[in-house]
């Protein structure tokens, strides 16, 4: 995602007389509100993502997932055991739902994960396969799943967790059957199935410089030398309170220097329960340290949290007695960690979170020789719209050629877009996104958008 600029249009006209009176009386102080994390991140050209559970994407959970994040990772929905529980019988429902939600909210999707030792269907793990059969199964799985979402997913975690802690290869179904080259084969198959997706290897305990991350480093180096398609490494970052590795930024940098992107893919920071204010303060500092390490390296594309709320975290069931690992508590109240993330992204200076406004955010989603695709997202929080109109002025001669989900006209440099008949309403906590193609020449700066 390219940087975007957000313009906040306070829709005073939407306030009822009573609410306006309250504001004047100061009972509900009008405060400048911080933009959501996704706008702060987009302005820095970074991804701020979250893992999600498809069945929960309604109500407050859906509102926050759509409002605060510009990327989603299905927490479980795309794993082999989820999509093909019985050989040849596919269940794409949750994965499709998450991709549709992301597209409706102008979010990237990180596909997770194709080749792993865990959460595989029992027909696969209990089967007895020759190496040729196993290779075929892996290739077919990748072709089917990556092919299904071709052109729609930004990224795939192609191979997950290939290493032991000492840097040797993990003895998995794949390694035992195909040897270490299963990794190159999987990446090659994924590239063939979707040439536009960024292909990653993802692992945990590889955040600092250590034996495991060095093994990953050596693998990526050799894959690059061999010309195997590898675009990035995912550092999961399932961290323990107070234990952000001091070599995190150095480690990110050494991968970047190999010519690959780096993403923090599964950040959470767990603590012994119950939480208290000292622990939450430490956690905020830890979140900020991770954000800052990524922000300091241009090839670190961004950070994804492994669940944004403590009510949707894998920690308590896996580490009994531990939890509170995410930026929102179980009741969706932002914790100090949320504020720390916002601050690291240049926000977090005001309180409380957005209460009475709708905002329009312009971003360029892809760009080539003379053309580009862009989108505008209109999001409301504490307010709502029954129709909308946005405008901007192009500063470098850009010319719209086509728009969808809005009717747009351009006169000289001035563009005006208004809602289509079917997306006039932007509910409180909801958003509408429309897209367009345009041409550009020389430069393609992001204009300031006005709403209202
Ligand atoms: O284990 C934490 C993460 C480590 N890196 C790879 C990730 O894919 C992994 O995610 C977790 C999910 O967050 C959990 O939700 O992977 C776990 C499995 O290794 C997931 O747990 C499983 C439970 O084990 C199942 O009992 C449950 O049916 O979640 C399933 C769906 O809720």
């Amino acid at each position: 995602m390219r940087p975007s600029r957000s313009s906040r249009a306070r829709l005073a006209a939407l306030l009822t007389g009573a609410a306006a009176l309250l504001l004047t009386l100061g009972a509900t102080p009008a405060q400048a509100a911080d933009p959501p994390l996704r706008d702060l991140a987009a302005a820095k050209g970074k991804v701020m993502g979250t893992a999600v559970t498809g069945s929960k994407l309604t109500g407050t959970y859906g509102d926050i997932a759509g409002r605060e994040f510009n990327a989603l990772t299905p927490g479980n929905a795309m794993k082999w055991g989820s999509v093909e529980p019985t050989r040849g019988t596919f269940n794409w429902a949750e994965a499709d739902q998450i991709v549709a939600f992301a597209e409706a909210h102008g979010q990237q999707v990180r596909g997770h994960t194709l080749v792993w030792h865990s959460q595989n269907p029992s027909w696969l793990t209990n089967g007895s396969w020759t190496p040729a059969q196993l290779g075929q199964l892996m290739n077919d799985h990748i072709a089917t799943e990556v092919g299904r979402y071709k052109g729609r997913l930004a990224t795939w975690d192609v191979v997950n967790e290939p290493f032991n802690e000492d840097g040797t290869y993990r003895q998995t179904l794949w390694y035992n059957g195909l040897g270490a080259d299963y990794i190159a084969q999987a990446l090659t198959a994924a590239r063939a199935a979707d040439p536009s997706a960024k292909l990653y290897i993802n692992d945990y305990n590889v955040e600092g410089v250590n034996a495991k991350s060095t093994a990953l480093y050596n693998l990526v180096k050799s894959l690059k030398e061999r010309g195997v398609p590898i675009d990035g490494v995912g550092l999961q970052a399932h961290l323990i309170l107070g234990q952000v590795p001091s070599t995190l930024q150095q480690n990110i940098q050494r991968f970047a220097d190999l010519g690959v992107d780096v993403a923090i893919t599964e950040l959470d920071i767990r603590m012994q329960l119950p939480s208290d204010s000292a622990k939450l303060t430490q956690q905020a500092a830890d979140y900020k340290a991770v954000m800052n390490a990524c922000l300091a390296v241009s090839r670190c594309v961004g950070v994804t949290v492994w669940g944004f709320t403590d009510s949707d975290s894998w920690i308590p069931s896996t580490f009994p007695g531990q939890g509170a690992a995410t930026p929102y508590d179980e009741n969706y109240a932002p914790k100090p960690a949320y504020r720390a993330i916002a601050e690291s992204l240049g926000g977090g200076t005001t309180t409380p979170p957005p209460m009475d406004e709708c905002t329009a955010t312009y971003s360029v989603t892809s760009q080539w020789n003379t053309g580009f695709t862009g989108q505008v997202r209109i999001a409301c929080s504490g307010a709502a719209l029954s129709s909308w109109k946005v405008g901007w002025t192009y500063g470098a001669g850009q010319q719209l050629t086509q728009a969808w989900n809005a009717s747009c006209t351009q006169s000289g440099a001035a563009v005006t877009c208004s809602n289509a008949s079917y997306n006039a309403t932007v509910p409180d906590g909801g958003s509408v996104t429309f897209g367009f193609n345009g041409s550009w020449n020389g430069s393609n700066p992001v204009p300031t958008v006005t709403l209202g």
Side-chain angles (χ1 to χ4, degrees), residues 137-435:
L137 282 165
M138 185 182 80
N139 285 341
D140 288 350
H141 170 63
I142 292 170
T144 302
E145 181 152 8
V146 177
R148 181 179 183 83
Y149 299 106
K150 184 179 180 185
R152 297 168 70 192
L153 267 53
T155 314
W156 271 105
D157 288 330
V158 177
V159 175
N160 202 37
E161 303 173 359
F163 288 109
N164 293 316
E165 299 304 291
D166 66 359
T168 56
Y169 283 107
R170 191 192 283 267
Q171 309 275 305
T172 68
L173 170 70
W174 308 111
Y175 181 83
N176 294 338
L178 301 172
D181 215 48
Y182 82 89
I183 296 171
Q185 289 172 37
L187 289 161
T188 303
R191 176 68 95 233
D194 185 352
S196 70
K198 300 283 188 201
L199 307 180
Y200 277 63
I201 301 173
N202 189 49
D203 214 327
Y204 63 89
N205 288 351
V206 292
E207 294 75 33
V209 174
N210 58 34
K212 192 175 185 179
S213 66
T214 298
L216 179 60
Y217 176 89
N218 289 332
L219 169 64
V220 171
K221 186 163 182 283
S222 99
L223 292 171
K224 293 283 285 183
E225 282 163 4
R226 289 169 58 194
V228 174
I230 173 74
D231 301 307
V233 296
L235 315 181
Q236 292 185 8
H238 294 292
L239 302 178
I240 296 169
L241 190 70
Q243 296 186 26
V244 177
S246 58
T247 51
L248 175 59
Q249 185 181 324
Q250 177 194 341
N251 191 42
I252 294 172
Q253 186 67 57
R254 72 171 171 159
F255 281 104
D257 291 344
L258 281 180
V260 292
D261 291 339
V262 179
I264 306 291
T265 51
E266 305 184 14
L267 177 62
D268 51 25
I269 301 177
R270 60 186 183 267
M271 62 181 71
Q272 201 65 41
L273 296 173
S275 67
D276 59 31
S277 69
K279 291 179 192 172
L280 293 174
T281 301
Q282 176 66 50
Q283 185 185 49
D286 292 345
Y287 265 93
K288 191 178 271 185
V290 174
M291 294 297 301
N292 286 343
C294 181
L295 288 161
V297 180
S298 61
R299 284 204 82 142
C300 186
V301 299
V303 175
T304 288
V305 293
W306 203 243
F308 62 85
T309 160
D310 292 338
S311 67
D312 188 40
S313 169
W314 68 296
I315 297 292
S317 61
T318 306
F319 301 96
Q322 298 184 52
T326 77
Y328 286 82
D329 74 12
E330 293 182 340
N331 299 313
Y332 302 118
K335 292 154 58 177
Y338 172 91
R339 171 59 55 92
I341 295 170
E343 284 172 1
S344 71
L345 293 169
T349 52
T350 54
T351 53
M355 280 308 292
D356 59 348
E357 59 182 11
C358 298
T359 59
T361 308
Y362 178 112
S363 47
V364 175
T365 53
S366 67
Q367 181 169 293
W368 56 97
N369 294 347
T370 55
F372 68 97
T373 300
Q375 67 180 29
V376 169
R377 175 171 176 268
I378 301 159
C380 292
S381 183
L385 297 172
S386 55
S387 68
W388 48 265
K389 191 181 206 180
V390 298
W392 64 87
T393 302
Y394 277 128
Q398 299 102 315
Q399 180 69 45
L400 279 199
T401 53
Q402 187 191 7
W404 51 94
N405 298 333
S407 50
C408 296
T409 55
Q410 180 166 355
S411 163
V415 175
T416 308
C417 297
S418 52
N419 59 268
S421 57
Y422 52 85
N423 65 2
T425 305
V426 187
D428 183 359
S431 68
V432 164
T433 301
F434 67 90

Side-chain angles (χ1 to χ4, degrees), residues 50-53 71-75 98 108-112 157 265 304 306:
T50 182
V52 290
T53 302
L72 300 183
T73 304
I98 292 169
Q108 291 187 359
V109 178
R110 181 175 195 95
H112 176 84
D157 288 330
T265 51
T304 288
W306 203 243

